[in-house]
Amino acid sequence: QAWEWPFRPGHLGSWSGAVFGEPGARFVRLVIHRGPLFLLAQSGQSRSAETGQLHAAEARKAAAETGQALRGSLMHQAIGDFISGWNGPFDEAALTHLIEIGRGVFDEIADFPEVHAIWTLRFEKIARWLVGWERNRDPGIARRHAELDGEITLATAAGPFRLRGRADRIDRRQDGSVDVIEYKTGPPPTARQGMVGVAPRRGLEAAMVRRGAFDESFKGASIALLAWIAIGKADRGGNPVQSAVQQGFDADGVAER
């Protein structure tokens, strides 16, 4: 029987980040998760946890990280719902529809009006960028896929190893190749971090795509684009699309490493 890594590929990256990067930040994020988002953010006192005390500075840091995670989750949901359901041109009607979806999703934080207003306003600007980006690339795209679950079983020295994951976006191009895209509300890892294993999510997803983990129709397909979209930057000008492929390599090579 295959043994399972019980997390998504991104959590494997969090583990490697804890070893090689910021163990304190990773530990706090895993312990705190979502619960104290606003409570801790506004607190100036230490609060008890089952395993001890969190000082106010640690609590504020944990709340900020948790807030970013929640914002990312809501934005992922809104964009995923839009991509899955929209079949028309990427015009003003598409923009209006995406903004409406976003407003519905952000109702989850309506009890916090200041935060709700800021996030909703930013999402509207992000939506305008996203629709324009999709419009520009639309002639080369045959079909878009959002929030695809997949799994792959790998042979290892310890026996079969099952890796499960969810891809934000896999788009089929007109020429048969695919784009594998990940949304990121915070700063994306660098391509080099992905290559050395500190942030392996992109490479793992690429490998899963080429092996048909998300859909058999993708099996063996060449990956034309392996990238992050730093959607947190999309409302600030510039190009938020960041390649996850280090110079001198191609996406197919990253998938096979």
Side-chain angles (χ1 to χ4, degrees):
Q1 181 177 356
W3 56 287
E4 293 190 10
W5 184 261
F7 303 123
R8 293 171 54 182
H11 293 122
L12 185 56
S14 295
W15 176 85
S16 62
V19 175
F20 300 110
E22 303 176 68
R26 297 294 183 184
F27 175 78
V28 168
R29 179 156 63 245
L30 289 172
V31 171
I32 298 300
H33 198 44
R34 284 193 183 185
L37 171 58
F38 297 101
L39 180 63
L40 291 179
Q42 298 173 16
S43 174
Q45 302 177 355
S46 300
R47 295 189 177 277
S48 298
E50 289 185 4
T51 57
Q53 297 289 323
L54 283 175
H55 295 293
E58 294 172 321
R60 285 193 294 270
K61 181 178 181 180
E65 292 182 345
T66 304
Q68 185 180 71
L70 176 57
R71 179 182 64 187
S73 176
L74 295 177
M75 288 190 177
H76 274 71
Q77 181 182 340
I79 295 173
D81 289 351
F82 170 71
I83 293 297
S84 297
W86 184 255
N87 295 315
F90 291 92
D91 53 12
E92 285 300 315
L95 176 60
T96 299
H97 184 60
L98 176 53
I99 290 173
E100 288 175 351
I101 291 174
R103 287 173 179 167
V105 168
F106 279 100
D107 279 348
E108 182 174 332
I109 56 170
D111 290 339
F112 307 93
E114 292 182 0
V115 177
H116 178 268
I118 292 171
W119 287 10
T120 301
L121 181 61
R122 288 201 64 191
F123 182 78
E124 290 179 3
K125 295 179 179 179
I126 290 166
R128 185 168 295 278
W129 174 87
L130 181 67
V131 169
W133 182 71
E134 296 289 1
R135 180 170 57 248
N136 290 337
R137 64 194 292 266
D138 194 45
I141 302 299
R143 187 174 181 184
R144 294 167 171 83
H145 304 266
E147 302 294 330
L148 293 179
D149 291 316
E151 68 174 54
I152 187 172
T153 300
L154 305 172
T156 72
F161 179 93
R162 185 177 297 121
L163 178 66
R164 294 178 175 176
R166 173 172 291 179
D168 286 351
R169 286 281 294 279
I170 304 176
D171 294 349
R172 173 75 74 175
R173 292 194 178 195
Q174 296 286 2
D175 63 6
S177 63
V178 296
D179 293 347
V180 184
I181 301 164
E182 178 81 9
Y183 307 122
K184 190 75 173 173
T185 50
T190 65
R192 176 167 176 74
Q193 286 176 320
M195 293 294 286
V196 300
V198 175
R201 180 184 179 93
R202 302 279 63 222
L204 288 170
E205 286 187 1
M208 292 174 70
V209 169
R210 283 184 54 82
R211 288 164 175 77
F214 296 104
D215 191 286
E216 278 292 319
S217 67
F218 299 135
K219 190 171 185 178
S222 180
I223 300 176
L225 176 68
L226 180 64
W228 304 93
I229 295 182
I231 55 178
K233 296 181 179 179
D235 62 333
R236 300 175 183 175
N239 183 10
V241 181
Q242 177 180 312
S243 175
V245 180
Q246 191 173 353
Q247 188 173 3
F249 295 85
D250 60 29
D252 291 342
V254 172
E256 299 305 319
R257 281 178 62 85

